[in-house]
Amino acid sequence: MSHLIAPSLLASDFGNLQAECEMLNASSCDWYHVDVMDGVFVPNISFGTPVIKAMNKHTLKPLDVHLMIVDPDRYIKLFKDCGANVLTVHYEACTHLHRTLQAIKSEEMKAGVALNPHTPVELLEPLLEDIDLVCLMSVNPGFGGQKFIEKTYDKVRALKAMIVEKGCATKIEIDGGVTSDNARALVDAGADVLVAGSFVFKSSDPIQTIADLKNC
Ligand code: DX5
Ligand code: ZN
C-alpha cells in the first residue's frame, strides 16, 4: 500500500476553515491532521474541540488528531464526540500509557503515540502490538514551519525493524518539516504517513503539492 498524506490544518487559514477543508476534500490527501496544543505540554495554544467539531462538518476523510496536551485521558470521549478517528497522545504526557491506549480503543478510535525528538523508539517495544500509529516528531512540537531533524531517519529505520520483527500492523507517521525534499527518503526508510503543514498550505497550489507528496 502506498503511503498516506495528512496535511496539518495548523498551517491553514483559520478564518476560512470551511474552504480549507473543501480544498482538502478535493485533493488526494488521505487524512486531516489536527494539532491540539494546550500551552502547557507545548509553549503554544492552537484550538480545541469546538473548532474541530465545526471543521468536521466540512470534512470527508478521517481526522487524525494529535494531542499535545497534558493529562489527555480526561478528554478522550470529548475528542471521539467531535469526530476524531485516530487519537494520538504523547508518550511524555502519559504516566499510564497502556491504560490510555485501552481507553482510546474502547471509544472505537485508532490509538496513536507520539514521541518527541529526544525520546527513543525502543521505549515503545513492550506496547508496540497495542499501538495503531507511532507519530515520530521530526521537529520539537509546538509550532509549524520548523526545520526537519535529520536524526529522524535513524528512528524510522529502528522502529520499522521492531514492527517487522514483531509482525504487527503499527503505522509510522512523520510530523514536522516534511517537504518534497525528504518525503521519498522517509517512505523508503519505513514511513507510512507523512504530515505536512507549511509545505502544503503555504504553497501556491496546495492540491498539486499534496499530489506531489503522494506520488513522491
Ligand atoms: C507541530 C505539529 C505539526 C505541524 C507540522 O507541533 O505537530 O503537525 O503542524 O507543521 P510543518 O509541516 O509546517 O512542520
Ligand atoms: Zn502534529
Side-chain angles (χ1 to χ4, degrees):
M1 201 190 79
S2 92
H3 61 280
L4 308 182
I5 303 298
S8 165
L9 284 140
L10 187 66
S12 71
D13 177 0
F14 290 171
N16 215 351
L17 278 176
Q18 180 174 347
E20 298 286 45
C21 290
E22 286 167 355
M23 180 278 288
L24 294 180
N25 291 343
S27 80
S28 53
C29 83
D30 299 278
W31 294 349
Y32 310 87
H33 186 82
V34 179
D35 288 302
V36 178
M37 303 178 183
D38 65 355
V40 178
F41 182 71
V42 288
N44 195 12
I45 298 175
S46 55
F47 47 74
T49 49
V51 174
I52 300 173
K53 205 174 238 170
M55 211 185 261
N56 196 34
K57 288 196 191 122
H58 307 290
T59 55
L60 300 173
K61 306 176 195 186
L63 287 192
D64 170 35
V65 178
H66 176 193
L67 298 184
M68 284 161 274
I69 66 174
V70 296
D71 207 358
D73 298 64
R74 292 171 61 194
Y75 304 101
I76 290 170
K77 172 98 176 60
L78 206 55
F79 283 101
K80 169 69 184 180
D81 292 344
C82 70
N85 300 95
V86 182
L87 193 64
T88 296
V89 295
H90 264 264
Y91 178 87
E92 302 83 4
C94 294
T95 311
H96 303 286
L97 183 59
H98 182 268
R99 180 185 292 154
T100 306
L101 295 174
Q102 301 311 314
I104 294 172
K105 289 181 180 183
S106 73
E107 292 292 344
E108 286 164 13
M109 295 180 282
K110 299 278 185 206
V113 179
L115 299 183
N116 279 338
H118 73 274
T119 305
V121 294
E122 288 73 16
L123 289 174
L124 294 181
E125 196 273 337
L127 289 188
L128 208 51
E129 288 94 341
D130 298 304
I131 304 173
D132 297 304
L133 177 86
V134 176
C135 174
L136 294 179
M137 292 308 302
S138 39
V139 296
N140 287 295
F143 302 93
Q146 302 179 81
K147 190 175 173 307
F148 180 84
I149 297 171
E150 296 289 325
K151 174 77 185 163
T152 309
Y153 290 112
D154 294 342
K155 293 178 78 174
V156 184
R157 280 189 284 266
L159 179 59
K160 185 71 182 178
M162 274 165 55
I163 291 169
V164 168
E165 196 193 317
K166 286 179 176 280
C168 50
T170 313
K171 285 190 193 322
I172 303 177
E173 177 175 72
I174 309 298
D175 188 4
V178 171
T179 69
S180 53
D181 289 341
N182 52 25
R184 183 70 246 165
L186 286 166
V187 171
D188 287 345
D192 303 292
V193 187
L194 301 178
V195 174
S198 320
F199 188 66
V200 166
F201 286 98
K202 309 294 179 218
S203 78
S204 56
D205 185 349
I207 290 190
Q208 185 58 47
T209 303
I210 291 167
D212 293 345
L213 288 171
K214 186 80 185 165
N215 301 320
C216 71

